[in-house]
Amino acid sequence: MSLLVVGSVALDSVETPFGKAEEVIGGSANYFSASASHQVPVQMVGVVGSDYPVEKLEPLAARGVDLSGLERAEGESFRWRGRYRHDLNSAETLETRLGVFSHFRPKLPEGFRDAEFVFLANIDPRLQLDVLRQVRKPKLVACDTMNFWIESRRANLLELLGQVDLITLNDGEARQLTEQANLVQAARWILARGPRTVLIKKGEHGAFMFTRDSVFFAPAYPLESVFDPTGAGDSFAGGFMGWLARTRDLTDANLRRAVVLGSAMGSFVVEGFSITRLLEVSRADIERRVADFHRLVSFDQALDA
Ligand code: AMP
């Protein structure tokens, strides 16, 4: 049930209508790992610079995240600065500083190469491809991406599409990648290029899962207050992949359960800055929220129209 993630290990500075955080623990690999570690141990691959407060990752290690694939390089850590205005569904990137990520060549520790479940989190698609070349026989490979890479590394991203089983992206990214305004057509476009499953996240409006012959939709949890949406996508992916790695069941019914668990994890992370809430929540909290999701979408089919 080994689960491997490669992604950004960042220092984030975030501004939302409700507050500000400066240089907090962020990055796709951190959010993913904090979320997935509620289900299975996680192997993380990434790089930090000499200025990274690695001691702040100790709570992750304590939760079963293996950091032996986290390289420490000379130079500046990856930094992302973003702002959300009242539409919390879309982040405005104010600054991206790649730092040590610009020279990073991932080297998987020998023990990581047999990973069965692999998540190529948001990072340069050339690095995602690099990691994929080093894993031996994964059962499921999923990837994520964002506008930054769709614009700057489109050819590499299309190459990657041909090599993954599943992709997660938000609705804006799906439209940008496929140049299709309609999401069903965008999903078809992607399905025709490799992945068997496409997960399109729509922020507070939930997430769609498309395969060649089915569509599933899970709403987002109707939270009364969303504090900081950063990391919702990666936490969603962490819950989703964590569940699949734990159950090792890739049937459609189980993929649907994974989408709901992903939505539950996404709903926790947005309640606070950074990965704080993911470290606080208990198994009982997660189970309660999944039960709430079940109630949220249950209805009696016998409608008298
Ligand atoms: P999301 O789950 O989509 O909200 O992802 C948020 C995380 O993405 C933040 O913690 C950022 O550090 C990270 N991020 C932002 N831009 C990039 C980028 N170009 N490459 C990799 N990670 C990024």
Side-chain angles (χ1 to χ4, degrees), residues 171-191:
D171 49 348
E173 292 156 355
R175 291 192 174 100
Q176 185 189 4
L177 174 67
T178 65
E179 294 168 347
Q180 304 283 326
N182 177 288
L183 282 188
V184 181
Q185 287 178 20
R188 297 268 162 261
W189 189 100
I190 298 171
L191 288 168

Side-chain angles (χ1 to χ4, degrees), residues 34-51:
S35 171
S37 65
H38 284 273
Q39 305 304 323
V40 286
V42 181
Q43 301 169 329
M44 188 204 280
V45 173
V47 65
V48 290
S50 32
D51 55 356

Side-chain angles (χ1 to χ4, degrees), residues 229-286:
T230 312
D234 302 309
S235 307
F236 174 96
F240 178 85
M241 290 293 286
W243 179 258
L244 294 183
R246 180 172 153 194
T247 56
R248 309 180 84 250
D249 170 359
L250 298 178
T251 58
D252 191 61
N254 201 49
L255 286 168
R256 289 173 182 227
R257 289 185 201 108
V259 170
V260 173
L261 189 66
S263 303
M265 298 313 289
S267 74
F268 284 121
V269 76
V270 302
E271 293 174 339
F273 277 126
S274 187
I275 56 173
T276 334
R277 288 290 294 144
L278 293 177
L279 299 177
E280 283 168 4
V281 292
S282 65
R283 180 160 293 259
D285 294 327
I286 298 172

Side-chain angles (χ1 to χ4, degrees), residues 8 10 12 26-27 31 78 80 96 122-123 146 148-149 229-234:
S8 53
D12 285 350
Y31 279 110
F78 176 89
W80 177 74
T96 303
N122 178 23
I123 196 179
M146 74 180 290
F148 188 85
W149 305 115
T230 312
D234 302 309

Side-chain angles (χ1 to χ4, degrees), residues 7-12 14 24-31 78-81 84 91 93 95-96 98 101 121-124 144-149 170 173 201 229-236:
S8 53
V9 180
L11 288 173
D12 285 350
V14 184
V24 292
I25 297 299
S28 51
N30 278 333
Y31 279 110
F78 176 89
R79 280 175 169 77
W80 177 74
R81 178 176 289 277
Y84 299 83
T93 293
E95 193 182 15
T96 303
L98 292 178
F101 259 110
N122 178 23
I123 196 179
D124 187 332
D144 186 24
T145 194
M146 74 180 290
N147 51 7
F148 188 85
W149 305 115
N170 68 34
E173 292 156 355
K201 300 161 287 173
T230 312
D234 302 309
S235 307
F236 174 96

